[in-house]
Amino acid sequence: MATFSQLVDSVVVNTFELEKTEVHVGRRADNDIRIDEISVSGHHAVIERMPNAYLEGTVDYYITDKDSTNGTFVNDLRVNERQRLNSNDLVRIGWNEFRFVDEEENAMEKTAYILD
């Protein structure tokens, strides 16, 4: 199971399990992960859970910015299109920092992407 943990000064303050096929992140109340802060757009980003194209029985997670005002960043790089998340990636949404952790990710899965 993958989680998305909100950090404040590198300390986890909230953890969200990514169980749904799509998890919507933003300031509005209809989001799965609601961040009530001015730097976050109403519908800021979406995290998708998809079957891995190479390894049966495993899943990949992707994040897409939804044309937000302040952007979505993975490891300090702005997300301009759908981007795959790797375990321990740091994600910034507005001024908020999160750590993506996928307990099931393994080295063999990473190798499959190198071969692609």
Side-chain angles (χ1 to χ4, degrees), residues 1 3 6 11 19 23 32 42 57 59 65 68 81 83-84 88 90-91 93 95 102 105-106 111 116:
M1 175 61 57
T3 58
Q6 188 173 16
V11 175
E19 298 175 316
V23 176
D32 301 300
V59 294
D65 184 80
S68 67
E81 55 188 42
Q83 177 165 336
R84 184 176 185 274
N88 293 313
L90 291 176
V91 178
I93 295 177
W95 300 326
D102 184 358
E105 184 179 277
N106 60 45
T111 302
D116 184 26

Side-chain angles (χ1 to χ4, degrees), residues 4-46:
F4 202 56
S5 297
Q6 188 173 16
L7 307 173
V8 174
D9 296 328
S10 299
V11 175
V12 174
V13 294
N14 287 311
T15 298
F16 305 94
E17 290 187 0
L18 302 177
E19 298 175 316
K20 296 170 68 177
T21 302
E22 285 189 355
V23 176
H24 296 267
V25 182
R27 194 172 66 237
R28 292 193 181 159
D30 61 344
N31 287 287
D32 301 300
I33 298 175
R34 184 168 183 258
I35 307 166
D36 189 19
E37 191 206 89
I38 197 163
S39 70
V40 178
S41 294
H43 294 112
H44 198 103
V46 63

Side-chain angles (χ1 to χ4, degrees), residues 45-102:
V46 63
I47 301 170
E48 298 172 275
R49 180 178 186 247
M50 304 180 69
N52 182 287
Y54 303 102
L55 298 172
E56 191 173 321
T58 61
V59 294
D60 293 328
Y61 293 86
Y62 295 88
I63 191 162
T64 305
D65 184 80
K66 303 304 281 180
D67 296 322
S68 67
T69 301
N70 292 311
T72 301
F73 296 79
V74 175
N75 300 324
D76 291 324
L77 298 173
R78 190 176 189 121
V79 173
N80 294 315
E81 55 188 42
R82 188 174 80 156
Q83 177 165 336
R84 184 176 185 274
L85 292 171
N86 294 302
S87 196
N88 293 313
D89 278 347
L90 291 176
V91 178
R92 187 164 37 93
I93 295 177
W95 300 326
N96 300 271
E97 187 172 48
F98 294 83
R99 180 179 305 279
F100 171 78
V101 175
D102 184 358

